């Protein structure tokens, strides 16, 4: 699998109180004072205005951006168009809720998620299935003995860390206890063993060096797994315990670490705190004194190239970090557009891809090593609301997002269709995952198998979808929790319980004599089987695997 440079996610300002560091920073020699910049209206550069901070030198206007006459065409390599249905099962998200593809660029791989908890790795124009996240691992407010809210229909919208061992995720979707329905939430989780527990997302977490994962929480650095290795020491400032208050971080396989944030010793001017490979003490690199309220910042790095992208209220800004034996300096660069930067990705060959604007006004540019920008053209002039970008090289970039509430795409400069392992080439992607049931070997079916039709009183084939069965469940699994819930129930003999295959997934369900009795069975299981979320449908399984004799059933 091809290694990609880590693009640190854009993150909002969420800083802890200043804390004491272990040593003073070793400062690089200050660069020569720049000359005053002309007013922004007199230059073609899309840089923010000069700083008005007391005692700071004005920012010299970088040369205007050079834009090539040629363009790079983007192609639709994956697409999903959702039908807007009037009737949607209670444990599924409404069909007009946007559910786009998501790209998650980690340092050593790019992951793709879509409609559920399945996860795919993207490399060399192909998708391979990774171990997904069992939906039963995603619980809200749960203890070891209670499952008050479990995932019903969710999307993984953010993944950070080292896959698959040290992972933090954010999901959006429905959580339910079987009675309180359609509770939408966006919880955050950290992987612990085989399960995920609710946990705040760190400022950044990434694969580092020697198989370790470096985590930046607040202003403190730590390892995801405790160990005796020396950590980079955050530099103390004259005015606060931690000099550079972190916004984002990048870490490289050779041990280099960069943190971008506000420098409390320089009137909160942006700076980069850098640890050279093998060094525990850092160097503070002042960035140009851009003016305005900071909205977000990101640092992108390979072992040869380093960039900082910042978005302010009035404008966005770009700088390159040049490292030499005499020290490191920041060089301001022009952006190719005055629109706000929404994402950026640095390829291993040094090509920097920058996304600006949103919707119909979205623009994508590639900056080469010589500083020339090339514009990317979108298919049929369509706009995009981005949900992730990953650059593989100067020739290949991937961009995910929505073009409307019901249409989502993955675009790429590399032609050809992405084929999800469970679908035909160019298909929309996998079905959503489903929460687990207390039977241990089974999972709830509500999101794993979308019912072909809503249940009505006129339905000739009422059916209750009980569970999507785990791959680890034995062929003769007897569903003890479900069996106990039906024990002694005289009406149990009115149902035919079967295992069947639907879209390649082993399922447990029950045919009912009429719609009312289907609702009765679903209600009984929701009441008596903790965490169960059965779904009723008008449905006749085409591929029956076996009949299952449960207590009270024939």
């Amino acid at each position: 699998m091809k290694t990609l440079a880590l693009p640190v996610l854009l993150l909002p300002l969420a800083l802890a109180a200043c804390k004491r560091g272990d040593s003073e920073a070793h400062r690089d020699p200050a660069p020569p004072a720049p000359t005053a910049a002309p007013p922004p209206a007199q230059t073609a550069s899309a840089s923010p205005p000069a700083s008005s901070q007391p005692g700071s030198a004005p920012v010299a206007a970088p040369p205007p951006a050079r834009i090539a006459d040629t363009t790079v065409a983007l192609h639709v390599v994956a697409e999903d168009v959702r039908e807007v249905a009037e009737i949607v099962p209670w444990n599924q998200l409404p069909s007009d809720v946007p559910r786009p593809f998501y790209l998650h660029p980690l340092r050593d791989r790019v992951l793709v998620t879509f409609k559920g908890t399945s996860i795919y790795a993207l490399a060399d124009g192909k998708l391979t299935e990774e171990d997904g996240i069992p939906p039963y691992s995603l619980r809200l407010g749960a203890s070891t003995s209670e499952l008050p809210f479990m995932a019903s229909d969710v999307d993984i919208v953010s993944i950070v860390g080292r896959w698959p061992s040290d992972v933090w995720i954010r999901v959006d979707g429905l959580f339910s206890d079987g009675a309180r329905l359609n509770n939408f939430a966006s919880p955050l989780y950290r992987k612990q063993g085989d399960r995920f527990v609710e946990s705040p997302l760190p400022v950044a977490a990434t694969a580092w060096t020697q198989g370790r994962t470096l985590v930046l929480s607040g202003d403190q650095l730590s390892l995801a797994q405790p160990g005796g290795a020396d950590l980079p020491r955050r530099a103390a400032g004259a005015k606060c315990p931690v000099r550079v208050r972190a916004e984002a971080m990048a870490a490289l396989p050779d041990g280099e670490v960069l943190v971008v944030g506000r420098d409390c010793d320089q009137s909160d001017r942006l700076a980069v705190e850098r640890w050279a490979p093998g060094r525990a003490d850092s160097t503070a690199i002042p960035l140009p004194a851009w003016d305005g309220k900071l909205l977000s910042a990101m640092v992108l790095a390979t072992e040869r190239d380093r960039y900082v992208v910042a978005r302010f209220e009035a404008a966005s800004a770009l700088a390159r970090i040049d490292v030499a034996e005499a020290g490191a300096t920041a060089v301001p660069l022009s952006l190719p557009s005055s629109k706000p930067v929404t994402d950026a990705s640095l390829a291993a060959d040094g090509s920097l891809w920058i996304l600006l604007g949103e919707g119909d006004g979205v623009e994508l540019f590639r900056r080469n090593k010589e500083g020339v920008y090339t514009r990317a053209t979108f298919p049929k002039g369509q706009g995009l609301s981005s949900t992730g970008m990953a650059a593989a090289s100067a020739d290949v970039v991937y961009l995910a997002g929505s073009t409307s509430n019901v249409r989502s795409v993955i675009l790429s400069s590399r032609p050809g269709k992405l084929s999800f392992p469970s679908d035909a080439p160019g298909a929309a992607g996998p079905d959503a995952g489903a929460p687990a049931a207390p039977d241990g070997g089974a999972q709830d079916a509500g999101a794993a198998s979308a019912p072909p039709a809503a249940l009505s009183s006129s339905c000739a084939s009422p059916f209750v979808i009980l569970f999507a069965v785990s791959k680890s469940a034995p062929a003769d699994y007897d569903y003890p929790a479900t069996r106990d819930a039906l024990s002694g129930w005289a009406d149990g003999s009115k149902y035919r319980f079967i295992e069947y295959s639907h879209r390649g997934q082993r399922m447990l369900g029950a045919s009912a004599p009429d719609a009312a009795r289907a609702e009765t069975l679903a209600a009984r299981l929701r009441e008596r089987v903790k965490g169960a979320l059965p779904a009723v449908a008008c449905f006749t399984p085409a591929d029956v695997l076996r009949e299952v004799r449960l207590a009270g059933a024939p």
Side-chain angles (χ1 to χ4, degrees), residues 346-382:
L346 179 62
D349 63 7
S351 302
L352 178 64
W353 293 80
I354 301 177
L355 187 70
L356 304 104
E358 282 280 349
D360 292 338
V362 68
E363 294 181 296
L364 177 64
F365 290 88
R366 179 192 65 205
R367 186 183 191 277
N368 65 16
K369 295 283 287 184
E370 289 71 40
V372 178
Y373 288 96
T374 301
R375 181 188 298 272
T377 58
F378 287 77
K380 299 178 183 178
Q382 296 172 350

mmCIF file of all heavy atoms in Angstrom, residues 346-382:
data_model
loop_
_atom_site.group_PDB
_atom_site.id
_atom_site.type_symbol
_atom_site.label_atom_id
_atom_site.label_comp_id
_atom_site.label_asym_id
_atom_site.label_seq_id
_atom_site.Cartn_x
_atom_site.Cartn_y
_atom_site.Cartn_z
ATOM 1 N N LEU A 346 -1.090 17.029 1.268
ATOM 2 C CA LEU A 346 0.274 17.049 0.745
ATOM 3 C C LEU A 346 0.677 15.642 0.329
ATOM 4 O O LEU A 346 0.670 14.719 1.147
ATOM 5 C CB LEU A 346 1.236 17.588 1.801
ATOM 6 C CG LEU A 346 2.716 17.651 1.437
ATOM 7 C CD1 LEU A 346 2.958 18.580 0.252
ATOM 8 C CD2 LEU A 346 3.547 18.101 2.645
ATOM 9 N N ALA A 347 1.014 15.468 -0.953
ATOM 10 C CA ALA A 347 1.437 14.165 -1.457
ATOM 11 C C ALA A 347 2.906 13.923 -1.141
ATOM 12 O O ALA A 347 3.674 14.851 -0.873
ATOM 13 C CB ALA A 347 1.195 14.083 -2.966
ATOM 14 N N ALA A 348 3.306 12.663 -1.215
ATOM 15 C CA ALA A 348 4.689 12.306 -0.900
ATOM 16 C C ALA A 348 5.686 12.938 -1.856
ATOM 17 O O ALA A 348 6.839 13.151 -1.489
ATOM 18 C CB ALA A 348 4.833 10.781 -0.910
ATOM 19 N N ASP A 349 5.260 13.260 -3.082
ATOM 20 C CA ASP A 349 6.174 13.877 -4.049
ATOM 21 C C ASP A 349 6.253 15.393 -3.899
ATOM 22 O O ASP A 349 6.899 16.067 -4.703
ATOM 23 C CB ASP A 349 5.783 13.499 -5.481
ATOM 24 C CG ASP A 349 4.393 14.016 -5.879
ATOM 25 O OD1 ASP A 349 3.787 14.781 -5.104
ATOM 26 O OD2 ASP A 349 3.921 13.641 -6.969
ATOM 27 N N GLY A 350 5.597 15.957 -2.895
ATOM 28 C CA GLY A 350 5.681 17.383 -2.620
ATOM 29 C C GLY A 350 4.573 18.205 -3.243
ATOM 30 O O GLY A 350 4.530 19.427 -3.043
ATOM 31 N N SER A 351 3.666 17.590 -3.979
ATOM 32 C CA SER A 351 2.542 18.318 -4.568
ATOM 33 C C SER A 351 1.522 18.638 -3.489
ATOM 34 O O SER A 351 1.114 17.754 -2.727
ATOM 35 C CB SER A 351 1.880 17.479 -5.665
ATOM 36 O OG SER A 351 2.813 17.154 -6.665
ATOM 37 N N LEU A 352 1.105 19.896 -3.442
ATOM 38 C CA LEU A 352 0.152 20.351 -2.436
ATOM 39 C C LEU A 352 -1.184 20.636 -3.123
ATOM 40 O O LEU A 352 -1.267 21.482 -4.013
ATOM 41 C CB LEU A 352 0.681 21.618 -1.755
ATOM 42 C CG LEU A 352 -0.232 22.265 -0.699
ATOM 43 C CD1 LEU A 352 -0.440 21.321 0.484
ATOM 44 C CD2 LEU A 352 0.357 23.591 -0.234
ATOM 45 N N TRP A 353 -2.218 19.928 -2.734
ATOM 46 C CA TRP A 353 -3.560 20.127 -3.262
ATOM 47 C C TRP A 353 -4.363 20.945 -2.254
ATOM 48 O O TRP A 353 -4.377 20.611 -1.062
ATOM 49 C CB TRP A 353 -4.247 18.790 -3.522
ATOM 50 C CG TRP A 353 -3.632 17.994 -4.632
ATOM 51 C CD1 TRP A 353 -2.506 17.218 -4.557
ATOM 52 C CD2 TRP A 353 -4.098 17.883 -5.979
ATOM 53 N NE1 TRP A 353 -2.246 16.632 -5.772
ATOM 54 C CE2 TRP A 353 -3.213 17.018 -6.670
ATOM 55 C CE3 TRP A 353 -5.182 18.424 -6.675
ATOM 56 C CZ2 TRP A 353 -3.380 16.689 -8.008
ATOM 57 C CZ3 TRP A 353 -5.356 18.090 -8.019
ATOM 58 C CH2 TRP A 353 -4.465 17.243 -8.671
ATOM 59 N N ILE A 354 -5.024 22.006 -2.716
ATOM 60 C CA ILE A 354 -5.734 22.926 -1.834
ATOM 61 C C ILE A 354 -7.164 23.089 -2.324
ATOM 62 O O ILE A 354 -7.406 23.399 -3.500
ATOM 63 C CB ILE A 354 -5.040 24.298 -1.776
ATOM 64 C CG1 ILE A 354 -3.600 24.144 -1.275
ATOM 65 C CG2 ILE A 354 -5.796 25.252 -0.872
ATOM 66 C CD1 ILE A 354 -2.812 25.453 -1.250
ATOM 67 N N LEU A 355 -8.109 22.890 -1.421
ATOM 68 C CA LEU A 355 -9.530 23.040 -1.721
ATOM 69 C C LEU A 355 -10.023 24.343 -1.111
ATOM 70 O O LEU A 355 -9.786 24.617 0.074
ATOM 71 C CB LEU A 355 -10.313 21.864 -1.145
ATOM 72 C CG LEU A 355 -11.796 21.758 -1.511
ATOM 73 C CD1 LEU A 355 -11.956 21.394 -2.985
ATOM 74 C CD2 LEU A 355 -12.490 20.727 -0.633
ATOM 75 N N LEU A 356 -10.717 25.147 -1.899
ATOM 76 C CA LEU A 356 -11.202 26.451 -1.444
ATOM 77 C C LEU A 356 -12.689 26.575 -1.756
ATOM 78 O O LEU A 356 -13.163 26.121 -2.794
ATOM 79 C CB LEU A 356 -10.444 27.595 -2.128
ATOM 80 C CG LEU A 356 -8.923 27.589 -1.977
ATOM 81 C CD1 LEU A 356 -8.270 27.105 -3.268
ATOM 82 C CD2 LEU A 356 -8.395 28.976 -1.612
ATOM 83 N N GLY A 357 -13.424 27.206 -0.847
ATOM 84 C CA GLY A 357 -14.841 27.427 -1.060
ATOM 85 C C GLY A 357 -15.664 26.174 -0.836
ATOM 86 O O GLY A 357 -15.152 25.098 -0.525
ATOM 87 N N GLU A 358 -16.977 26.312 -0.998
ATOM 88 C CA GLU A 358 -17.920 25.224 -0.788
ATOM 89 C C GLU A 358 -19.012 25.298 -1.838
ATOM 90 O O GLU A 358 -19.234 26.332 -2.468
ATOM 91 C CB GLU A 358 -18.553 25.310 0.609
ATOM 92 C CG GLU A 358 -17.664 24.815 1.736
ATOM 93 C CD GLU A 358 -17.659 23.300 1.872
ATOM 94 O OE1 GLU A 358 -18.503 22.638 1.237
ATOM 95 O OE2 GLU A 358 -16.796 22.779 2.593
ATOM 96 N N GLY A 359 -19.733 24.184 -2.000
ATOM 97 C CA GLY A 359 -20.911 24.176 -2.855
ATOM 98 C C GLY A 359 -20.590 24.531 -4.288
ATOM 99 O O GLY A 359 -19.602 24.074 -4.878
ATOM 100 N N ASP A 360 -21.426 25.407 -4.880
ATOM 101 C CA ASP A 360 -21.236 25.788 -6.282
ATOM 102 C C ASP A 360 -19.955 26.589 -6.497
ATOM 103 O O ASP A 360 -19.462 26.677 -7.625
ATOM 104 C CB ASP A 360 -22.437 26.607 -6.770
ATOM 105 C CG ASP A 360 -23.708 25.779 -6.849
ATOM 106 O OD1 ASP A 360 -23.594 24.539 -6.931
ATOM 107 O OD2 ASP A 360 -24.807 26.357 -6.796
ATOM 108 N N GLY A 361 -19.417 27.187 -5.430
ATOM 109 C CA GLY A 361 -18.210 27.996 -5.570
ATOM 110 C C GLY A 361 -16.930 27.269 -5.240
ATOM 111 O O GLY A 361 -15.879 27.902 -5.100
ATOM 112 N N VAL A 362 -16.957 25.949 -5.120
ATOM 113 C CA VAL A 362 -15.772 25.200 -4.719
ATOM 114 C C VAL A 362 -14.708 25.252 -5.818
ATOM 115 O O VAL A 362 -15.006 25.243 -7.014
ATOM 116 C CB VAL A 362 -16.149 23.734 -4.388
ATOM 117 C CG1 VAL A 362 -16.587 22.979 -5.633
ATOM 118 C CG2 VAL A 362 -14.997 23.022 -3.694
ATOM 119 N N GLU A 363 -13.437 25.335 -5.394
ATOM 120 C CA GLU A 363 -12.301 25.330 -6.308
ATOM 121 C C GLU A 363 -11.215 24.419 -5.754
ATOM 122 O O GLU A 363 -11.001 24.361 -4.535
ATOM 123 C CB GLU A 363 -11.725 26.738 -6.493
ATOM 124 C CG GLU A 363 -12.655 27.718 -7.178
ATOM 125 C CD GLU A 363 -12.007 29.080 -7.355
ATOM 126 O OE1 GLU A 363 -11.701 29.725 -6.334
ATOM 127 O OE2 GLU A 363 -11.792 29.488 -8.511
ATOM 128 N N LEU A 364 -10.521 23.718 -6.634
ATOM 129 C CA LEU A 364 -9.419 22.842 -6.244
ATOM 130 C C LEU A 364 -8.214 23.172 -7.104
ATOM 131 O O LEU A 364 -8.312 23.273 -8.329
ATOM 132 C CB LEU A 364 -9.810 21.370 -6.423
ATOM 133 C CG LEU A 364 -8.717 20.341 -6.116
ATOM 134 C CD1 LEU A 364 -8.304 20.385 -4.652
ATOM 135 C CD2 LEU A 364 -9.179 18.926 -6.492
ATOM 136 N N PHE A 365 -7.053 23.350 -6.445
ATOM 137 C CA PHE A 365 -5.813 23.657 -7.147
ATOM 138 C C PHE A 365 -4.710 22.709 -6.676
ATOM 139 O O PHE A 365 -4.687 22.285 -5.509
ATOM 140 C CB PHE A 365 -5.359 25.094 -6.877
ATOM 141 C CG PHE A 365 -6.226 26.142 -7.510
ATOM 142 C CD1 PHE A 365 -7.339 26.628 -6.840
ATOM 143 C CD2 PHE A 365 -5.926 26.651 -8.762
ATOM 144 C CE1 PHE A 365 -8.141 27.603 -7.408
ATOM 145 C CE2 PHE A 365 -6.718 27.631 -9.339
ATOM 146 C CZ PHE A 365 -7.826 28.108 -8.667
ATOM 147 N N ARG A 366 -3.775 22.432 -7.588
ATOM 148 C CA ARG A 366 -2.559 21.690 -7.254
ATOM 149 C C ARG A 366 -1.378 22.643 -7.371
ATOM 150 O O ARG A 366 -1.214 23.322 -8.388
ATOM 151 C CB ARG A 366 -2.366 20.522 -8.216
ATOM 152 C CG ARG A 366 -1.088 19.706 -7.946
ATOM 153 C CD ARG A 366 -0.806 18.773 -9.103
ATOM 154 N NE ARG A 366 -0.509 19.503 -10.331
ATOM 155 C CZ ARG A 366 -0.695 19.024 -11.559
ATOM 156 N NH1 ARG A 366 -1.213 17.828 -11.721
ATOM 157 N NH2 ARG A 366 -0.393 19.760 -12.624
ATOM 158 N N ARG A 367 -0.552 22.700 -6.307
ATOM 159 C CA ARG A 367 0.653 23.525 -6.327
ATOM 160 C C ARG A 367 1.862 22.620 -6.468
ATOM 161 O O ARG A 367 2.074 21.705 -5.654
ATOM 162 C CB ARG A 367 0.760 24.338 -5.035
ATOM 163 C CG ARG A 367 1.919 25.342 -5.032
ATOM 164 C CD ARG A 367 2.010 26.071 -3.699
ATOM 165 N NE ARG A 367 2.929 27.190 -3.761
ATOM 166 C CZ ARG A 367 4.251 27.101 -3.617
ATOM 167 N NH1 ARG A 367 4.812 25.911 -3.388
ATOM 168 N NH2 ARG A 367 5.010 28.168 -3.687
ATOM 169 N N ASN A 368 2.683 22.838 -7.504
ATOM 170 C CA ASN A 368 3.862 21.999 -7.683
ATOM 171 C C ASN A 368 5.064 22.571 -6.936
ATOM 172 O O ASN A 368 4.978 23.627 -6.284
ATOM 173 C CB ASN A 368 4.169 21.791 -9.179
ATOM 174 C CG ASN A 368 4.558 23.093 -9.884
ATOM 175 O OD1 ASN A 368 4.887 24.103 -9.262
ATOM 176 N ND2 ASN A 368 4.531 23.057 -11.214
ATOM 177 N N LYS A 369 6.191 21.895 -7.024
ATOM 178 C CA LYS A 369 7.374 22.306 -6.266
ATOM 179 C C LYS A 369 7.911 23.657 -6.730
ATOM 180 O O LYS A 369 8.593 24.352 -5.982
ATOM 181 C CB LYS A 369 8.467 21.241 -6.426
ATOM 182 C CG LYS A 369 8.111 19.893 -5.817
ATOM 183 C CD LYS A 369 8.246 19.891 -4.318
ATOM 184 C CE LYS A 369 9.693 19.884 -3.900
ATOM 185 N NZ LYS A 369 9.846 19.774 -2.425
ATOM 186 N N GLU A 370 7.595 24.039 -7.969
ATOM 187 C CA GLU A 370 8.044 25.328 -8.492
ATOM 188 C C GLU A 370 7.096 26.458 -8.121
ATOM 189 O O GLU A 370 7.333 27.616 -8.475
ATOM 190 C CB GLU A 370 8.190 25.261 -10.017
ATOM 191 C CG GLU A 370 9.363 24.415 -10.499
ATOM 192 C CD GLU A 370 9.135 22.934 -10.289
ATOM 193 O OE1 GLU A 370 7.994 22.469 -10.515
ATOM 194 O OE2 GLU A 370 10.084 22.245 -9.866
ATOM 195 N N GLY A 371 6.024 26.137 -7.426
ATOM 196 C CA GLY A 371 5.097 27.168 -6.979
ATOM 197 C C GLY A 371 4.012 27.534 -7.977
ATOM 198 O O GLY A 371 3.321 28.537 -7.796
ATOM 199 N N VAL A 372 3.824 26.720 -9.017
ATOM 200 C CA VAL A 372 2.801 26.997 -10.022
ATOM 201 C C VAL A 372 1.538 26.205 -9.681
ATOM 202 O O VAL A 372 1.596 25.001 -9.407
ATOM 203 C CB VAL A 372 3.292 26.624 -11.431
ATOM 204 C CG1 VAL A 372 2.192 26.877 -12.466
ATOM 205 C CG2 VAL A 372 4.551 27.412 -11.771
ATOM 206 N N TYR A 373 0.408 26.911 -9.704
ATOM 207 C CA TYR A 373 -0.876 26.269 -9.419
ATOM 208 C C TYR A 373 -1.530 25.797 -10.711
ATOM 209 O O TYR A 373 -1.470 26.474 -11.755
ATOM 210 C CB TYR A 373 -1.828 27.247 -8.732
ATOM 211 C CG TYR A 373 -1.468 27.580 -7.302
ATOM 212 C CD1 TYR A 373 -0.731 28.725 -7.000
ATOM 213 C CD2 TYR A 373 -1.866 26.752 -6.259
ATOM 214 C CE1 TYR A 373 -0.402 29.040 -5.680
ATOM 215 C CE2 TYR A 373 -1.548 27.059 -4.943
ATOM 216 C CZ TYR A 373 -0.817 28.197 -4.660
ATOM 217 O OH TYR A 373 -0.502 28.503 -3.364
ATOM 218 N N THR A 374 -2.187 24.650 -10.645
ATOM 219 C CA THR A 374 -2.998 24.144 -11.750
ATOM 220 C C THR A 374 -4.413 23.910 -11.237
ATOM 221 O O THR A 374 -4.601 23.256 -10.206
ATOM 222 C CB THR A 374 -2.415 22.827 -12.298
ATOM 223 O OG1 THR A 374 -1.082 23.058 -12.752
ATOM 224 C CG2 THR A 374 -3.258 22.308 -13.456
ATOM 225 N N ARG A 375 -5.375 24.456 -11.957
ATOM 226 C CA ARG A 375 -6.774 24.349 -11.542
ATOM 227 C C ARG A 375 -7.342 22.980 -11.923
ATOM 228 O O ARG A 375 -7.056 22.448 -12.996
ATOM 229 C CB ARG A 375 -7.606 25.439 -12.201
ATOM 230 C CG ARG A 375 -9.084 25.433 -11.804
ATOM 231 C CD ARG A 375 -9.870 26.418 -12.641
ATOM 232 N NE ARG A 375 -9.398 27.786 -12.431
ATOM 233 C CZ ARG A 375 -9.862 28.588 -11.469
ATOM 234 N NH1 ARG A 375 -10.790 28.148 -10.638
ATOM 235 N NH2 ARG A 375 -9.391 29.821 -11.346
ATOM 236 N N ALA A 376 -8.163 22.417 -11.025
ATOM 237 C CA ALA A 376 -8.901 21.190 -11.327
ATOM 238 C C ALA A 376 -10.316 21.558 -11.765
ATOM 239 O O ALA A 376 -10.926 22.470 -11.202
ATOM 240 C CB ALA A 376 -8.940 20.271 -10.113
ATOM 241 N N THR A 377 -10.817 20.861 -12.769
ATOM 242 C CA THR A 377 -12.177 21.113 -13.258
ATOM 243 C C THR A 377 -13.113 20.025 -12.753
ATOM 244 O O THR A 377 -12.795 18.836 -12.805
ATOM 245 C CB THR A 377 -12.213 21.156 -14.787
ATOM 246 O OG1 THR A 377 -11.709 19.917 -15.315
ATOM 247 C CG2 THR A 377 -11.349 22.301 -15.308
ATOM 248 N N PHE A 378 -14.270 20.440 -12.258
ATOM 249 C CA PHE A 378 -15.246 19.513 -11.714
ATOM 250 C C PHE A 378 -16.168 19.011 -12.820
ATOM 251 O O PHE A 378 -16.440 19.729 -13.785
ATOM 252 C CB PHE A 378 -16.057 20.191 -10.611
ATOM 253 C CG PHE A 378 -15.290 20.386 -9.339
ATOM 254 C CD1 PHE A 378 -14.343 21.398 -9.219
ATOM 255 C CD2 PHE A 378 -15.488 19.547 -8.255
ATOM 256 C CE1 PHE A 378 -13.623 21.577 -8.053
ATOM 257 C CE2 PHE A 378 -14.772 19.713 -7.079
ATOM 258 C CZ PHE A 378 -13.839 20.725 -6.984
ATOM 259 N N PRO A 379 -16.677 17.783 -12.708
ATOM 260 C CA PRO A 379 -17.558 17.240 -13.744
ATOM 261 C C PRO A 379 -18.804 18.102 -13.939
ATOM 262 O O PRO A 379 -19.495 18.434 -12.968
ATOM 263 C CB PRO A 379 -17.928 15.853 -13.213
ATOM 264 C CG PRO A 379 -16.863 15.523 -12.222
ATOM 265 C CD PRO A 379 -16.433 16.820 -11.619
ATOM 266 N N LYS A 380 -19.074 18.469 -15.167
ATOM 267 C CA LYS A 380 -20.286 19.194 -15.546
ATOM 268 C C LYS A 380 -20.492 20.445 -14.701
ATOM 269 O O LYS A 380 -21.617 20.861 -14.440
ATOM 270 C CB LYS A 380 -21.512 18.284 -15.421
ATOM 271 C CG LYS A 380 -21.452 17.053 -16.312
ATOM 272 C CD LYS A 380 -22.668 16.171 -16.121
ATOM 273 C CE LYS A 380 -22.567 14.907 -16.966
ATOM 274 N NZ LYS A 380 -23.734 14.009 -16.747
ATOM 275 N N GLY A 381 -19.404 21.021 -14.232
ATOM 276 C CA GLY A 381 -19.501 22.247 -13.463
ATOM 277 C C GLY A 381 -20.188 22.106 -12.126
ATOM 278 O O GLY A 381 -20.631 23.087 -11.535
ATOM 279 N N GLN A 382 -20.272 20.888 -11.590
ATOM 280 C CA GLN A 382 -20.986 20.660 -10.340
ATOM 281 C C GLN A 382 -20.181 21.177 -9.148
ATOM 282 O O GLN A 382 -18.962 21.132 -9.144
ATOM 283 C CB GLN A 382 -21.273 19.171 -10.161
ATOM 284 C CG GLN A 382 -22.211 18.606 -11.223
ATOM 285 C CD GLN A 382 -22.322 17.102 -11.122
ATOM 286 O OE1 GLN A 382 -21.574 16.477 -10.385
ATOM 287 N NE2 GLN A 382 -23.248 16.528 -11.860
#
